[in-house]
Amino acid sequence: MKKILIINGPNLNMVGIREPGVYGTETLASICEEIRKYAASLGLEAEFIQSNHEGVILDKIHSAKGEYAGAVINAGAWTHYSYALRDAIAAVKPLPFVEVHMSNIHAREEFRHHSVISPVCVGQICGFGSHSYILGVQALSNILSK
């Protein structure tokens, strides 16, 4: 069974509490359980990491090559300014990364419209709430089956 990594960045541990009108009321734990079940139905084993500390995420990405077949990443606010995160993803190529966001970042504040990680990811999915993760896993599964 291929292993995939699901990465959640800063403040995503507050999903279900933080801005429920934007992010919904599901907790990150319940979203991860949904992802785990869906990934298993596709023959994938999902592992999860969430951190509010950028270095923790960078270290995990650095160690991902050879351990995981691909990753789904919701980088939170780091999406818009973390060149360190962008460079870490680029460093583990050809490992495919799918960028996801629960909200439609293009319909929110101007600063959220630009992603510095999109150019090093295979694609971006946003605006479908927690289902964005499911769509991200589906996209990653399609890529890995080629």
Side-chain angles (χ1 to χ4, degrees):
M1 184 176 285
K2 291 181 181 176
K3 287 193 331 185
I4 62 169
L5 181 60
I6 312 299
I7 302 169
N8 283 286
N11 299 312
L12 289 160
N13 58 308
M14 299 301 289
V15 168
I17 299 167
R18 175 185 172 219
E19 298 181 80
V22 174
Y23 299 106
T25 57
E26 290 179 88
T27 65
L28 185 59
S30 67
I31 292 168
C32 289
E33 187 55 33
E34 221 177 298
I35 295 165
R36 183 184 319 281
K37 289 177 184 173
Y38 181 70
S41 77
L42 299 175
L44 301 170
E45 179 185 348
E47 291 188 14
F48 302 86
I49 184 171
Q50 186 282 322
S51 184
N52 296 316
H53 304 280
E54 191 174 18
V56 170
I57 298 296
L58 296 176
D59 288 343
K60 188 64 174 180
I61 291 170
H62 292 167
S63 68
K65 197 169 187 174
E67 185 174 349
Y68 300 97
V72 171
I73 183 167
N74 183 342
W78 294 330
T79 299
H80 315 293
Y81 68 87
S82 179
Y83 294 103
L85 184 60
R86 181 237 175 262
D87 290 349
I89 294 168
V92 297
K93 288 290 182 188
L95 196 72
F97 277 69
V98 175
E99 176 184 357
V100 302
H101 301 281
M102 294 174 68
S103 67
N104 180 351
I105 62 173
H106 305 288
R108 295 186 66 194
E109 303 94 337
E110 182 68 32
F111 75 90
R112 296 186 197 275
H113 296 185
H114 181 70
S115 168
V116 300
I117 67 170
S118 285
V120 293
C121 292
V122 294
Q124 180 192 80
I125 297 166
C126 66
F128 297 98
S130 64
H131 195 67
S132 292
Y133 289 97
I134 299 300
L135 295 170
V137 170
Q138 181 181 15
L140 188 57
S141 176
N142 290 345
I143 291 163
L144 297 176
S145 67
K146 291 181 180 178

